[in-house]
Amino acid sequence: MIVAPDASAIRVTKLVKSFGPDRRIADGLDLAVARGEAVSIIGANGAGKSTLLRLLVGLVPPDDGEVHLLGAPVTRLKGRALAASRARVGFVFQKHNLVSRLSALSNVLHGVQARRAGPRTWHQALARREDREEAMACLDAVGLADLARQRVDSLSGGQSQRVAVARMLMQRPELVLADEPDASLDPRAGAEVMGLLARLSREKGLTLVFVSHHMAHAVAFADRVVGLAGGRVALDERAATSDPDRLAAFFDEPPPAPGDAVSASLPLQRIGAAS
Amino acid sequence: MSLATSPTTRRPPERFERPGALRFLLYAGLVAFVVWGFSGSGLSAEKLVRGLPSLGSMLERMFRPSLDRIDRILESLLVTFQMAIAGCALGLVLSLPLAILATDGLSPHPVVRGLARGLIAFFRTVPDLVWALVFVIAVGLGPAAGVLAIMVDTIGFAGRFFAEAMEETDKGPREALSAMGARRMGVIFSAVVPDAMPSFVATSLFCLEKATRSSVVLGLVGAGGIGVELKVAFDLFDYDTAATIILVVFALVVLVEQAGAVLRRRII
Ligand SMILES: Nc1ncnc2c1ncn2[C@@H]1O[C@H](COP(=O)(O)OP(=O)(O)OP(=O)(O)O)[C@@H](O)[C@H]1O
Ligand SMILES: [Mg+2]
């Protein structure tokens, strides 16, 4: 394992990214997240939250600036070295992104590909005994051990998202990035998944960064709330002293930096506090 | 005063657009193209009329299919079907790696992808009869040449459809696996292949149907199977035997197609 030169799990410096001249997603963005911290990211539709998470793991290359992830300079890595860095980061997507025709157990087992390759990581039927057992334990941790054999396309949205969390656990990550894991779920299932992510991260001492449009979740499941607007961090406060209703006002404010094409061209949506 | 809008302000568009000069030329060219095609065919009403009696006498003699050589015919029909199965199986197994190399986003390099696509297209565009001729020269008369011809033909067909099926798979699971640092092979065999599986099965069944049909014809150039019998029967003006052969071939092809349709419906 690479020894980190600093204590931060994520260090983003002067990050710049645009999709075309009118779409500046990051405009000299700086952000640091300490190890073990839980951070929620809020911001209007199109503010660049998803893109930021993708930039963090090198799924999208930046135009300028640097990203250090658990001490590794992600923006300068390629191929195997990049894969090794990604392996330490669990990613949970809004759309669970599971392989729908495979069983829950097979999907969870795929998490082992973060540290090992080969046919025995492709399907539960081929897997090593200890991997199957670990995958089962991960499913159990999200309360779905009974559904191990079920095909994922026969599960509900909330169950699928929990399988995705189990796959992330199987990866044994040090850092968890979650992009609106609560978005396509009903209020109760959404809160359950968020609670599960936050609890598991805390228990295992993982760093957690999640995006949510539910202000109540952003406050309840994080230590710190970060708001993105105009390609920069426009809000950064302790969750303990924050308040969902006041956070909603963040979406009313005009973008802070002038000449900010992204936010200016998109109507800021007022997003009500979550139930 | 009136609520009705003045009829001149918003006239509906013409029902048909008047063709421009260029479009008119295009249509005229198309007609000329088809006429030109017929000019080379030597097809004429006179020829058809003159051909009718001989066709009639052949059909008349075919009317009572002969069962004299039925066991020999069934035996070579079986060999034909075996050829189809073996050629198809070999072709399908080789199609998958080639299709992966030909798939956008899975291929290791654009140059490799181009080469793989080119090879698949070449296999597909050269007709199976030509492949059969080539393999008869390479491995001699008999079913082995037929199997190889069907194999190459199957790669040309399945390679293309496998690649298309994989290109159309859900990008989400692929991205999820890449995001955790999975290798290319891992992404392909844990996310892409399972997702494309129904399409793979449907394509494979089509390949078997296609292979069954072409395995009949391949015998005509000596690549084994029932085609040889058919050619001999025609050469000896033994039309009643030919009729039997055509009927059993028809039965086999229909059987395979029906079975394929049932299986496809089950799987998809
Ligand atoms: N690959 C891409 N190519 C071009 N434009 C992109 C691409 N990915 C994102 N964008 C654009 O970047 C902007 C930010 O998108 P992003 O998905 O990061 O926003 P977001 O904050 O996650 O929004 P939401 O709240 O709707 O999820 C959008 O205008 C989007 O259209
Ligand atoms: Mg998003």
PDB file of all heavy atoms in Angstrom, chain A residues 44-51 53-54 94 179-180 211 213, ligand 2:
ATOM      1  N   ALA A  44     -27.046  22.611  -7.196  1.00  0.00           N
ATOM      2  CA  ALA A  44     -28.146  22.559  -8.164  1.00  0.00           C
ATOM      3  C   ALA A  44     -27.885  21.495  -9.227  1.00  0.00           C
ATOM      4  O   ALA A  44     -26.748  21.054  -9.403  1.00  0.00           O
ATOM      5  CB  ALA A  44     -28.301  23.917  -8.824  1.00  0.00           C
ATOM      6  N   ASN A  45     -28.922  21.109  -9.935  1.00  0.00           N
ATOM      7  CA  ASN A  45     -28.764  20.202 -11.072  1.00  0.00           C
ATOM      8  C   ASN A  45     -27.772  20.830 -12.045  1.00  0.00           C
ATOM      9  O   ASN A  45     -27.871  21.996 -12.385  1.00  0.00           O
ATOM     10  CB  ASN A  45     -30.094  20.005 -11.814  1.00  0.00           C
ATOM     11  CG  ASN A  45     -31.075  19.175 -10.997  1.00  0.00           C
ATOM     12  OD1 ASN A  45     -32.211  19.568 -10.832  1.00  0.00           O
ATOM     13  ND2 ASN A  45     -30.626  18.054 -10.488  1.00  0.00           N
ATOM     14  N   GLY A  46     -26.818  20.042 -12.453  1.00  0.00           N
ATOM     15  CA  GLY A  46     -25.836  20.538 -13.416  1.00  0.00           C
ATOM     16  C   GLY A  46     -24.691  21.302 -12.780  1.00  0.00           C
ATOM     17  O   GLY A  46     -23.823  21.825 -13.476  1.00  0.00           O
ATOM     18  N   ALA A  47     -24.653  21.398 -11.448  1.00  0.00           N
ATOM     19  CA  ALA A  47     -23.575  22.132 -10.782  1.00  0.00           C
ATOM     20  C   ALA A  47     -22.244  21.408 -10.914  1.00  0.00           C
ATOM     21  O   ALA A  47     -21.185  22.006 -10.738  1.00  0.00           O
ATOM     22  CB  ALA A  47     -23.914  22.334  -9.309  1.00  0.00           C
ATOM     23  N   GLY A  48     -22.284  20.124 -11.220  1.00  0.00           N
ATOM     24  CA  GLY A  48     -21.051  19.384 -11.425  1.00  0.00           C
ATOM     25  C   GLY A  48     -20.703  18.412 -10.322  1.00  0.00           C
ATOM     26  O   GLY A  48     -19.556  17.967 -10.204  1.00  0.00           O
ATOM     27  N   LYS A  49     -21.675  18.040  -9.534  1.00  0.00           N
ATOM     28  CA  LYS A  49     -21.416  17.117  -8.417  1.00  0.00           C
ATOM     29  C   LYS A  49     -20.987  15.738  -8.930  1.00  0.00           C
ATOM     30  O   LYS A  49     -19.983  15.189  -8.476  1.00  0.00           O
ATOM     31  CB  LYS A  49     -22.676  16.984  -7.548  1.00  0.00           C
ATOM     32  CG  LYS A  49     -23.221  18.324  -7.068  1.00  0.00           C
ATOM     33  CD  LYS A  49     -24.494  18.187  -6.267  1.00  0.00           C
ATOM     34  CE  LYS A  49     -25.660  17.627  -7.062  1.00  0.00           C
ATOM     35  NZ  LYS A  49     -26.098  18.454  -8.186  1.00  0.00           N
ATOM     36  N   SER A  50     -21.767  15.192  -9.862  1.00  0.00           N
ATOM     37  CA  SER A  50     -21.419  13.869 -10.401  1.00  0.00           C
ATOM     38  C   SER A  50     -20.082  13.918 -11.111  1.00  0.00           C
ATOM     39  O   SER A  50     -19.259  13.008 -10.983  1.00  0.00           O
ATOM     40  CB  SER A  50     -22.493  13.398 -11.386  1.00  0.00           C
ATOM     41  OG  SER A  50     -23.744  13.362 -10.763  1.00  0.00           O
ATOM     42  N   THR A  51     -19.879  14.984 -11.871  1.00  0.00           N
ATOM     43  CA  THR A  51     -18.611  15.112 -12.589  1.00  0.00           C
ATOM     44  C   THR A  51     -17.451  15.180 -11.607  1.00  0.00           C
ATOM     45  O   THR A  51     -16.398  14.582 -11.853  1.00  0.00           O
ATOM     46  CB  THR A  51     -18.646  16.366 -13.482  1.00  0.00           C
ATOM     47  OG1 THR A  51     -19.809  16.311 -14.303  1.00  0.00           O
ATOM     48  CG2 THR A  51     -17.410  16.434 -14.361  1.00  0.00           C
ATOM     49  N   LEU A  53     -17.227  13.766  -8.656  1.00  0.00           N
ATOM     50  CA  LEU A  53     -16.940  12.409  -8.167  1.00  0.00           C
ATOM     51  C   LEU A  53     -16.205  11.597  -9.235  1.00  0.00           C
ATOM     52  O   LEU A  53     -15.277  10.843  -8.931  1.00  0.00           O
ATOM     53  CB  LEU A  53     -18.235  11.688  -7.755  1.00  0.00           C
ATOM     54  CG  LEU A  53     -18.997  12.256  -6.551  1.00  0.00           C
ATOM     55  CD1 LEU A  53     -20.037  11.256  -6.075  1.00  0.00           C
ATOM     56  CD2 LEU A  53     -18.055  12.600  -5.406  1.00  0.00           C
ATOM     57  N   ARG A  54     -16.608  11.765 -10.499  1.00  0.00           N
ATOM     58  CA  ARG A  54     -15.941  11.036 -11.585  1.00  0.00           C
ATOM     59  C   ARG A  54     -14.506  11.515 -11.770  1.00  0.00           C
ATOM     60  O   ARG A  54     -13.622  10.711 -12.061  1.00  0.00           O
ATOM     61  CB  ARG A  54     -16.717  11.208 -12.891  1.00  0.00           C
ATOM     62  CG  ARG A  54     -18.000  10.426 -12.902  1.00  0.00           C
ATOM     63  CD  ARG A  54     -18.650  10.455 -14.276  1.00  0.00           C
ATOM     64  NE  ARG A  54     -19.583   9.359 -14.410  1.00  0.00           N
ATOM     65  CZ  ARG A  54     -20.785   9.330 -13.830  1.00  0.00           C
ATOM     66  NH1 ARG A  54     -21.180  10.351 -13.089  1.00  0.00           N
ATOM     67  NH2 ARG A  54     -21.571   8.296 -13.978  1.00  0.00           N
ATOM     68  N   GLN A  94     -26.126   6.518  -8.466  1.00  0.00           N
ATOM     69  CA  GLN A  94     -27.566   6.787  -8.324  1.00  0.00           C
ATOM     70  C   GLN A  94     -28.372   5.609  -8.858  1.00  0.00           C
ATOM     71  O   GLN A  94     -29.270   5.091  -8.218  1.00  0.00           O
ATOM     72  CB  GLN A  94     -27.934   8.059  -9.076  1.00  0.00           C
ATOM     73  CG  GLN A  94     -29.437   8.288  -9.127  1.00  0.00           C
ATOM     74  CD  GLN A  94     -29.795   9.562  -9.854  1.00  0.00           C
ATOM     75  OE1 GLN A  94     -28.966  10.431 -10.065  1.00  0.00           O
ATOM     76  NE2 GLN A  94     -31.050   9.674 -10.238  1.00  0.00           N
ATOM     77  N   ASP A 179     -22.956   8.760  -5.297  1.00  0.00           N
ATOM     78  CA  ASP A 179     -23.611   9.805  -6.070  1.00  0.00           C
ATOM     79  C   ASP A 179     -25.125   9.640  -5.998  1.00  0.00           C
ATOM     80  O   ASP A 179     -25.690   8.793  -6.681  1.00  0.00           O
ATOM     81  CB  ASP A 179     -23.134   9.743  -7.528  1.00  0.00           C
ATOM     82  CG  ASP A 179     -23.581  10.944  -8.334  1.00  0.00           C
ATOM     83  OD1 ASP A 179     -24.192  11.850  -7.741  1.00  0.00           O
ATOM     84  OD2 ASP A 179     -23.311  10.970  -9.546  1.00  0.00           O
ATOM     85  N   GLU A 180     -25.758  10.408  -5.166  1.00  0.00           N
ATOM     86  CA  GLU A 180     -27.214  10.345  -4.974  1.00  0.00           C
ATOM     87  C   GLU A 180     -27.716   8.911  -4.807  1.00  0.00           C
ATOM     88  O   GLU A 180     -28.568   8.451  -5.566  1.00  0.00           O
ATOM     89  CB  GLU A 180     -27.937  11.002  -6.148  1.00  0.00           C
ATOM     90  CG  GLU A 180     -27.600  12.472  -6.307  1.00  0.00           C
ATOM     91  CD  GLU A 180     -28.447  13.116  -7.382  1.00  0.00           C
ATOM     92  OE1 GLU A 180     -29.659  12.843  -7.404  1.00  0.00           O
ATOM     93  OE2 GLU A 180     -27.908  13.877  -8.182  1.00  0.00           O
ATOM     94  N   VAL A 211     -23.265  12.613  -2.465  1.00  0.00           N
ATOM     95  CA  VAL A 211     -24.073  13.686  -3.038  1.00  0.00           C
ATOM     96  C   VAL A 211     -25.521  13.384  -2.703  1.00  0.00           C
ATOM     97  O   VAL A 211     -25.949  12.233  -2.796  1.00  0.00           O
ATOM     98  CB  VAL A 211     -23.905  13.731  -4.567  1.00  0.00           C
ATOM     99  CG1 VAL A 211     -24.871  14.739  -5.181  1.00  0.00           C
ATOM    100  CG2 VAL A 211     -22.469  14.052  -4.930  1.00  0.00           C
ATOM    101  N   HIS A 213     -29.678  15.281  -2.836  1.00  0.00           N
ATOM    102  CA  HIS A 213     -30.589  16.410  -3.000  1.00  0.00           C
ATOM    103  C   HIS A 213     -31.555  16.502  -1.825  1.00  0.00           C
ATOM    104  O   HIS A 213     -32.423  17.356  -1.803  1.00  0.00           O
ATOM    105  CB  HIS A 213     -31.377  16.281  -4.301  1.00  0.00           C
ATOM    106  CG  HIS A 213     -30.577  16.664  -5.506  1.00  0.00           C
ATOM    107  ND1 HIS A 213     -29.927  17.864  -5.603  1.00  0.00           N
ATOM    108  CD2 HIS A 213     -30.312  16.016  -6.663  1.00  0.00           C
ATOM    109  CE1 HIS A 213     -29.301  17.942  -6.770  1.00  0.00           C
ATOM    110  NE2 HIS A 213     -29.507  16.816  -7.425  1.00  0.00           N
TER     111      HIS A 213
HETATM  112 MG    MG C   2     -25.515  14.051 -10.718  1.00  0.00          MG
END
